Amino acid sequence: MRALCWQGTGKVDVETVPDPEIIDQRDAILRVTSTAICGSDLHLYDGYIPTMQKGDILGHEFMGEVVEVGREVKNLTQGDRVVSAFSISCGNCFHCRRELWALCENSNPNWRMLATMFGFPGAALFGYSHLYGGYAGGQAEYVRVPFADIGLLPVPEDLDDEKVLFLSDVFPTGYMAAENCGIQSGDIVAIWGMGPVGQMAAVSALLLGADRVIAIDRFPERLRMAEEHSGAYAVNYEETDDLVEFLKELTGGRGPDSAIEAVGMEAHSTGPGGIYDRVKQTVRLETGRPTALRQAIQACRPGGTVSIPGVFGGVIDKMPMGAAFAKGLTFKMGQTHMPRYMRPLLDRIVQGQLDPSFIITHRLPLEQAPEAYKVFREKDDECIKVVLNPGP
């Protein structure tokens, strides 16, 4: 089959690799019909996630048709049309039984490696380094899905791929980020980073009762999208002298009720602080550039919540923890507990409450994935979300 393989920092290629096979009787094999490039894939592309190996197949946002199932998979049959969770959960361990699916203790065969880095094991992820299990990803013609009875959700035949594909990651991730805010009627939610997760967080915040969303970014096309689809008040942070003070002015001097940091470890910034973070990240004295997180903490109102769906991978510097403590902020973060959200959000799509496909700006065949990564990485051609078609 053809698959997109990591070759080193800044380099990916589409190669011919062996077809996947059933290894465990809870496996399924999918013929991938649609897959997408995620912002967190760029952390692999840029070389910030360790333990990648040349030839690793990328991609954790995908859906397709079941072509083979193991004997222990009782809820799926050949020919079913399904969307896959980006994380892999066993369904039986301490955390899975508590619906903390992203903290699964059994799915990652390299759990010791992850525990050495972070103190505890966690769920495996598709196509996301050997730190997270070394599983082949879904930017390919076929993919093996372990624990398929847990991670695959059947979808209606009358819904196009593009309407349901983002149940694989960004829609549940944005929704959980908004849910973590504990939104109450009348709340103002500020969101840093209006990429796909930020866009999904914005529409989810409205679904959950927010009165107003403030969208923060520097790319006009992302801000326009947020204005159009969530009625957000758009803020280009490069055009403000002091973003934190500007947000206070917008909210009557109090600050947003909740702050969602949807940027993660590669936040852009200018001035001495940006230079400091970039240099320290380059020489690996810190593993992330947390400008957006610092601002979220500083801007959020006293007693508010900072929700962090943005991916961080290690240690960061100069966090304003004194401000967080003094204001009594609540922090909620982490990988998305996918099976908790996939079916309820599918129901919202079926009911016509939301069509997540509005985030798609580029549709390309899998063979053009290397070029697509470059365009997405550089945000050329107003690129916000790329969907790849592995088919003929």
Side-chain angles (χ1 to χ4, degrees):
M1 70 172 185
R2 300 289 280 171
L4 185 74
C5 300
W6 188 87
Q7 302 296 339
T9 300
K11 183 173 176 56
V12 293
D13 285 322
V14 179
E15 299 183 346
T16 299
V17 301
D19 290 355
E21 298 178 349
I22 295 287
I23 296 175
D24 182 272
Q25 293 307 315
R26 290 181 68 187
D27 288 352
I29 305 297
L30 299 191
R31 179 181 65 84
V32 179
T33 56
S34 293
T35 183
I37 303 175
C38 181
S40 55
D41 288 330
L42 295 181
H43 303 324
L44 305 174
Y45 189 73
D46 290 339
Y48 291 123
I49 303 296
T51 73
M52 289 295 294
Q53 296 179 13
K54 186 175 181 179
D56 285 348
I57 299 173
L58 301 178
H60 58 267
E61 295 183 337
F62 58 90
M63 64 175 296
E65 178 186 345
V66 176
V67 295
E68 187 178 359
V69 293
R71 290 190 302 272
E72 295 181 23
V73 180
K74 306 299 184 183
N75 59 339
L76 299 169
T77 59
Q78 186 178 7
D80 283 350
R81 187 164 169 257
V82 294
V83 62
S84 175
F86 75 88
S87 55
I88 303 171
S89 306
C90 74
N92 297 323
C93 71
F94 174 90
H95 289 108
C96 286
R97 291 196 302 270
R98 287 157 179 79
E99 297 191 346
L100 300 172
W101 306 94
L103 304 176
C104 177
E105 298 170 326
N106 291 332
S107 64
N108 186 349
N110 299 331
W111 65 268
R112 288 183 178 85
M113 192 185 301
L114 195 65
T116 297
M117 187 167 183
F118 297 133
F120 290 90
L125 310 178
F126 286 101
Y128 213 77
S129 82
H130 294 264
L131 189 68
Y132 289 97
Y135 289 96
Q139 290 170 4
E141 292 181 306
Y142 294 89
V143 62
R144 178 177 76 94
V145 178
F147 303 111
D149 51 329
I150 300 296
L152 293 180
L153 175 70
V155 295
E157 292 293 334
D158 61 345
L159 290 178
D160 293 340
D161 274 19
E162 291 185 353
K163 286 190 174 183
V164 294
L165 172 60
F166 302 123
L167 290 169
S168 62
D169 181 357
V170 292
F171 188 11
T173 295
Y175 189 92
M176 188 175 105
E179 184 182 75
N180 279 344
C181 293
I183 294 169
Q184 299 181 26
S185 177
D187 276 2
I188 299 173
V189 179
I191 303 174
W192 276 255
M194 298 313 298
V197 170
Q199 301 288 342
M200 293 293 100
V203 296
S204 297
L206 295 178
L207 288 173
L208 291 169
D211 183 66
R212 184 162 48 136
V213 170
I214 301 173
I216 304 163
D217 209 299
R218 65 188 172 108
F219 292 98
E221 63 272 15
R222 293 183 172 202
L223 295 172
R224 286 196 304 269
M225 182 179 284
E227 289 176 317
E228 179 179 351
H229 291 279
S230 59
Y233 184 96
V235 176
N236 186 328
Y237 65 82
E238 290 190 331
E239 297 176 358
T240 64
D241 293 329
D242 187 326
L243 177 62
V244 173
E245 288 301 317
F246 185 74
L247 292 174
K248 288 181 181 179
E249 292 175 10
L250 282 181
T251 55
R254 181 172 292 148
D257 298 284
S258 298
I260 297 177
E261 202 280 29
V263 183
M265 68 172 69
E266 294 187 72
H268 173 269
S269 61
T270 57
I275 296 171
Y276 169 89
D277 282 331
R278 189 169 290 277
V279 169
K280 291 205 73 173
Q281 188 184 43
T282 299
V283 298
R284 298 301 190 265
L285 291 178
E286 65 173 337
T287 52
R289 305 193 298 268
T291 301
L293 180 56
R294 294 185 189 119
Q295 292 173 344
I297 293 171
Q298 292 165 335
C300 190
R301 71 158 172 84
T305 299
V306 176
S307 173
I308 311 171
V311 174
F312 287 91
V315 295
I316 50 180
D317 286 1
K318 298 191 180 302
M319 298 311 299
M321 294 309 296
F325 177 83
K327 292 194 290 183
L329 298 182
T330 296
F331 286 77
K332 290 194 174 182
M333 65 194 82
Q335 298 284 7
T336 309
H337 301 302
M338 291 294 293
R340 184 192 301 176
Y341 296 101
M342 293 172 74
R343 186 169 296 280
L345 294 182
L346 173 60
D347 291 342
R348 287 186 180 268
I349 294 171
V350 170
Q351 294 163 12
Q353 297 181 23
L354 180 70
D355 179 357
S357 66
F358 75 83
I359 62 174
I360 302 171
T361 55
H362 291 67
R363 300 166 174 87
L364 296 167
L366 179 66
E367 295 293 332
Q368 293 183 27
E371 293 80 8
Y373 263 78
K374 293 178 182 177
V375 171
F376 186 49
R377 166 70 173 79
E378 300 303 322
K379 301 176 179 62
D380 291 336
D381 193 31
E382 298 191 351
C383 183
I384 296 175
K385 190 66 175 180
V386 180
V387 171
L388 301 170
N389 179 6

